[in-house]
Amino acid sequence: MASAAPAPKPGVLLLRRTDADFAAALRARFRVHDLHASGAPLGAFLATAAAEPEPPRAALVMAGGDVLVDAAFLDAVPSLGCVVTTSAGVDHVDLAQCARRGVAVAGAGEAFSVDVADHAVGLLVAVLRRVAAADRYVRAGLWPAQGDYPLTTKLSGKRVGILGLGSVGSLVAKRLQAFGCAVSYHSRARKASVAYRYFPDARALAAGSDALVVACALNDATRRVVGRHVLDALGPGGVLVNVARGGVVDEQELVAALRDGRIAGAGLDVFQDEPHLPPGLGGMDNVVLTAHQAAFTEESSADLRELMIGNLEAFFSGKPLLTPVMTRPQ
Amino acid sequence: MASAAPAPKPGVLLLRRTDADFAAALRARFRVHDLHASGAPLGAFLATAAAEPEPPRAALVMAGGDVLVDAAFLDAVPSLGCVVTTSAGVDHVDLAQCARRGVAVAGAGEAFSVDVADHAVGLLVAVLRRVAAADRYVRAGLWPAQGDYPLTTKLSGKRVGILGLGSVGSLVAKRLQAFGCAVSYHSRARKASVAYRYFPDARALAAGSDALVVACALNDATRRVVGRHVLDALGPGGVLVNVARGGVVDEQELVAALRDGRIAGAGLDVFQDEPHLPPGLGGMDNVVLTAHQAAFTEESSADLRELMIGNLEAFFSGKPLLTPVMTRPQ
């Protein structure tokens, strides 16, 4: 009995850069249309893919690139039924437009959350205990020349407010409880399942906190929510940590507050205009700056590759996505 | 009825530098013999104090200065009945010589432990997640110029071995459990009260760990215990954190292991020859270096001043010391 011809590989739009290993893993399973390998501009690339006899039904994207999955993108490839993103946040995907067209969206699930929470706590310790600043001091040979490093600020026992008690915020809270911190939070809705103190808005949270950790999604309700009023509520002894998105913070106000001593310090992994810093920030000694790397460890990267392939395979075989992104009720 | 003349203030040897506030607080309560204010060499200073009609019966010292409370010191001031140190470790006080002479020793108790544990965890995150190195990368403008920072190493889920499960080590363990780490330890004796896995020696602990946190006292049993064999047991993926004493680690072997990639990185707050670093360490990108500051926050400093005065007052009024240092059974 002759076996049936193998089914053709399903088509996938690859809209992010990948290394050779991952590209090979994708090509073993899918017919890959690679934007960056094509050298074509996005519009032409999408038009070519859409005109194929069997146009691609899924797309692999990521945040922080220049590809936005918006109405124009979705209109250009009407065959799309699934968008898989590799980012913790999904502000680069218009979820409402996807929902309107019946396009399923898979995210990173909680693959990143643990690493982001670890990094957030690391930034908080680094800011209060001046880890990076002291490292500069020691490397510059100032310890023998200028004497002991000045006293720093205690973390244990501090009141820490968490803005956004999702998977990242919850893991930050768990870690900080072990440090003896008093955790409180603000999020869209009070969580019945946690005993942390709830504040009705970001400003009240900041006023009741020695440190504010930003761990919320970026959306219209959170854009620049950490502005002058919130920073002044945090106050001259307060510190800010942001591992969410640069756009949640008004960076001009943040730089001014740091410069004027209206807050004590900041630990920032994300910025409005990455990879560029807002003017004035890079020269400050009371900030710790990392390169949007909270989510990216060797371990999470490997986990995530499996997850992306798993989501694509689930979609093409008609099974539920492994890590669907839920569209919020409006 | 005439009131009795006020009792003369008891005499105290002050063998550490202090700021004006604390010096005033001491002078309000005690007749202070201040080594550094006297300008005299230690021997002459002690001889002068000992020759007074009412020689001082207590001394306030600290680690990291050049005063060692050894047999010669104690012989010079036979009136001494109490030594109060302001340091977490007491390797600058010869406890056996004190015990032989009936000299009580008060330490910092656990005033420092919380801050040291917080700092240890901060160093561990900083080493694995490259917080200080990434801060250098961002400040140097390399993010736009050279692209994303390389992937770092996950903390959560790692096996962390703690060398010395005293007050600091126990607090480190509690924090790391909240990060999802698998904690194990080695100390002089297995602790019946904890469920962490026990290893019979430092080498076995290192072999079973992805990260080794040194949190033990420095004594003859622990001097240079982290040498070549322990570092090689930790292995090329392993990282070392030391918040205890520089002397617990063989620094030449550590620098060689870091240089040769036989371990992955280190976070160090303490060094053999402070404030000097061992040659070669300051230029390495895979280390985080702070200036023996794990114990020193504004908050712990204030707590400690109260504790030092409280111990002196307890001694002079014949009450038990607040935070006696226990002499170990030999």
Side-chain angles (χ1 to χ4, degrees), chain B residues 218-288:
Chain B
L218 175 64
N219 54 45
D220 289 344
T222 63
R223 197 175 308 276
R224 299 201 178 184
V225 69
V226 180
R228 170 119 195 180
H229 292 312
V230 170
L231 294 168
D232 283 345
L234 189 56
V239 300
L240 178 75
V241 167
N242 189 1
V243 290
R245 285 287 183 270
V248 178
V249 174
D250 184 325
E251 289 187 337
Q252 271 192 292
E253 288 293 348
L254 174 61
V255 170
L258 287 164
R259 184 192 59 216
D260 300 344
R262 284 184 288 111
I263 72 168
L268 305 171
D269 185 53
V270 290
F271 307 89
Q272 177 87 46
D273 183 30
E274 296 171 6
H276 304 284
L277 304 182
L281 193 64
M284 292 180 168
D285 205 47
N286 56 342
V287 298
V288 183

Side-chain angles (χ1 to χ4, degrees), chain A residues 10-16 26 30-35 42 45-50 55-61 73 76-77 79-80 82-84 312 316:
Chain A
V12 171
L13 293 175
L14 179 60
L15 299 161
R16 50 163 291 173
L26 289 171
F30 312 111
R31 194 161 30 86
V32 176
H33 303 257
D34 186 336
L35 170 65
L42 179 63
F45 170 79
L46 294 179
T48 303
R57 292 195 296 128
L60 202 55
V61 301
F73 179 103
V77 195
S79 56
L80 273 192
C82 177
V83 171
V84 176
L312 289 170
F316 286 119

Side-chain angles (χ1 to χ4, degrees), chain A residues 162-164 186-187 200-206 212-234 240 242 244-251 253-254 272:
Chain A
I162 300 177
L163 189 60
H186 167 70
S187 61
D201 59 55
R203 189 175 176 176
L205 180 68
L212 185 65
V213 178
V214 179
C216 60
L218 175 64
N219 54 45
D220 289 344
T222 63
R223 196 175 310 276
R224 298 201 178 184
V225 69
V226 180
R228 170 118 193 180
H229 293 310
V230 170
L231 293 168
D232 283 345
L234 189 57
L240 178 76
N242 189 1
R245 285 288 182 271
V248 178
V249 174
D250 184 326
E251 288 186 338
E253 288 292 349
L254 174 62
Q272 177 87 45

Side-chain angles (χ1 to χ4, degrees), chain A residues 103-176:
Chain A
V103 175
V105 180
E110 304 201 348
F112 287 131
S113 305
V114 162
D115 283 334
V116 176
D118 289 355
H119 197 81
V121 176
L123 286 177
L124 182 55
V125 180
V127 172
L128 290 174
R129 304 303 309 274
R130 298 277 185 160
V131 173
D135 180 86
R136 286 196 293 277
Y137 185 85
V138 171
R139 284 171 192 266
L142 297 179
W143 192 7
Q146 298 186 10
D148 287 341
Y149 195 79
L151 294 177
T152 64
T153 304
K154 197 181 194 85
L155 170 57
S156 185
K158 286 288 189 298
R159 300 168 305 159
V160 182
I162 300 177
L163 189 60
L165 200 70
S167 61
V168 170
S170 301
L171 291 167
V172 171
K174 179 186 170 192
R175 284 153 177 69
L176 290 176

Side-chain angles (χ1 to χ4, degrees), chain A residues 114-115 118 129 134-136 139 152 154 156 158 175 179 282 284 287-289 293-294 296-299, chain B residues 114-115 118 129 134-136 139 152 154 156 158 179 282 284 287-289 293-294 296-299:
Chain A
V114 162
D115 283 334
D118 289 355
R129 304 303 309 274
D135 180 86
R136 286 196 293 277
R139 284 171 192 266
T152 64
K154 197 181 194 85
S156 185
K158 286 288 189 298
R175 284 153 177 69
F179 283 82
M284 292 180 168
V287 297
V288 183
L289 308 170
Q293 65 196 72
F296 303 111
T297 61
E298 297 277 359
E299 293 86 344
Chain B
V114 162
D115 284 333
D118 289 355
R129 306 302 308 274
D135 181 86
R136 286 196 294 277
R139 284 172 192 265
T152 64
K154 197 181 195 83
S156 185
K158 286 290 190 295
F179 283 81
M284 292 180 168
V287 298
V288 183
L289 308 170
Q293 65 196 71
F296 302 111
T297 62
E298 296 277 0
E299 293 85 345

Side-chain angles (χ1 to χ4, degrees), chain A residues 256-272:
Chain A
L258 287 163
R259 185 192 59 216
D260 300 345
R262 285 183 288 111
I263 71 169
L268 306 170
D269 185 53
V270 290
F271 307 90
Q272 177 87 45

Side-chain angles (χ1 to χ4, degrees), chain B residues 13 15 35 41-51 72-74 76-77:
Chain B
L13 293 176
L15 298 161
L35 170 65
L42 179 63
F45 169 80
L46 294 179
T48 302
F73 180 103
L74 294 165
V77 196

